[in-house]
């Protein structure tokens, strides 16, 4: 069952990001220079689920899928996660540079550290917001509920 869920998640991520990848490839084709000047290439970002608890809730490892311009070394993903814990919130953030953008789908695992002095994350549901920043108009964003597991 787990393999089926992962396969469905991967297929869904691939479908969501295929449009962005297609735009990047289309703009790179030499014969379509007029099209690329009218519609600039964009990237794509999608927060995946589940995130994995680390160090008794002090941090999470959150899977994120991105598509960015081939050869770009200036694309970054910023991620924020918030979770209700009792009458309080566990919050945290993390970021990473996308190494060697390929123009295709790339899977990242971004560490998110719980805010100092705040509540630790726990198993359950959280809300994640990701921003992909790079050499394109934007940022490109994704916001969604995620599962948090051990």
């Amino acid at each position: 069952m787990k393999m089926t869920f992962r396969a469905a998640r991967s297929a869904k991520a691939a479908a969501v990001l295929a449009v962005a990848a297609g735009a990047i490839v289309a703009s790179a084709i030499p014969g379509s220079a007029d099209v690329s000047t009218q519609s600039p290439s964009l990237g794509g970002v999608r927060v995946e689920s589940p995130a994995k608890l680390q160090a008794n809730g002090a941090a999470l490892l959150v899977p994120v899928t991105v598509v960015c311009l081939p050869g770009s070394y200036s694309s970054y993903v910023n991620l924020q996660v918030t979770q209700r814990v009792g009458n309080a919130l566990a919050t945290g953030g993390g970021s990473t540079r996308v190494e060697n953008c390929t123009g295709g789908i790339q899977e990242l695992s971004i560490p998110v550290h719980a805010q100092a002095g705040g509540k630790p994350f726990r198993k359950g549901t959280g809300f994640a917001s990701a921003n992909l920043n790079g050499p394109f108009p934007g940022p490109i964003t994704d916001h969604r509920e995620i599962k948090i597991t051990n």
Side-chain angles (χ1 to χ4, degrees):
M1 187 81 168
K2 189 173 186 179
M3 188 168 229
T4 303
F5 174 74
R6 182 163 176 81
R9 184 186 74 177
S10 294
K12 190 181 222 183
V16 168
L17 296 174
V19 173
I24 291 169
V25 171
S27 68
I29 298 172
S32 62
D34 291 336
V35 173
S36 67
T37 59
Q38 294 172 3
S39 56
S41 298
L42 298 176
V45 63
R46 181 178 167 90
V47 180
E48 302 293 346
S49 191
K52 302 286 186 180
L53 286 169
Q54 303 292 304
N56 296 317
L60 300 171
L61 282 179
V62 182
V64 176
T65 305
V66 300
V67 173
C68 52
L69 294 170
S72 172
Y73 291 98
S74 59
S75 293
Y76 291 84
V77 177
N78 298 309
L79 182 65
Q80 180 75 28
V81 177
T82 303
Q83 181 187 37
R84 183 156 187 87
V85 178
N87 291 329
L89 295 175
T91 62
S95 64
T96 191
R97 182 172 72 126
V98 183
E99 300 289 335
N100 192 24
C101 290
T102 64
I105 296 169
Q106 293 176 256
E107 295 179 7
L108 308 172
S109 183
I110 300 178
V112 172
H113 299 262
Q115 184 175 6
K119 294 280 188 178
F121 293 106
R122 64 177 181 171
K123 285 176 40 176
T125 302
F127 189 80
S129 295
N131 294 310
L132 174 64
N133 299 285
F136 41 76
I140 297 166
T141 61
D142 183 44
H143 313 284
R144 69 186 60 247
E145 283 189 1
I146 59 170
K147 287 196 176 284
I148 299 173
T149 63
N150 283 336

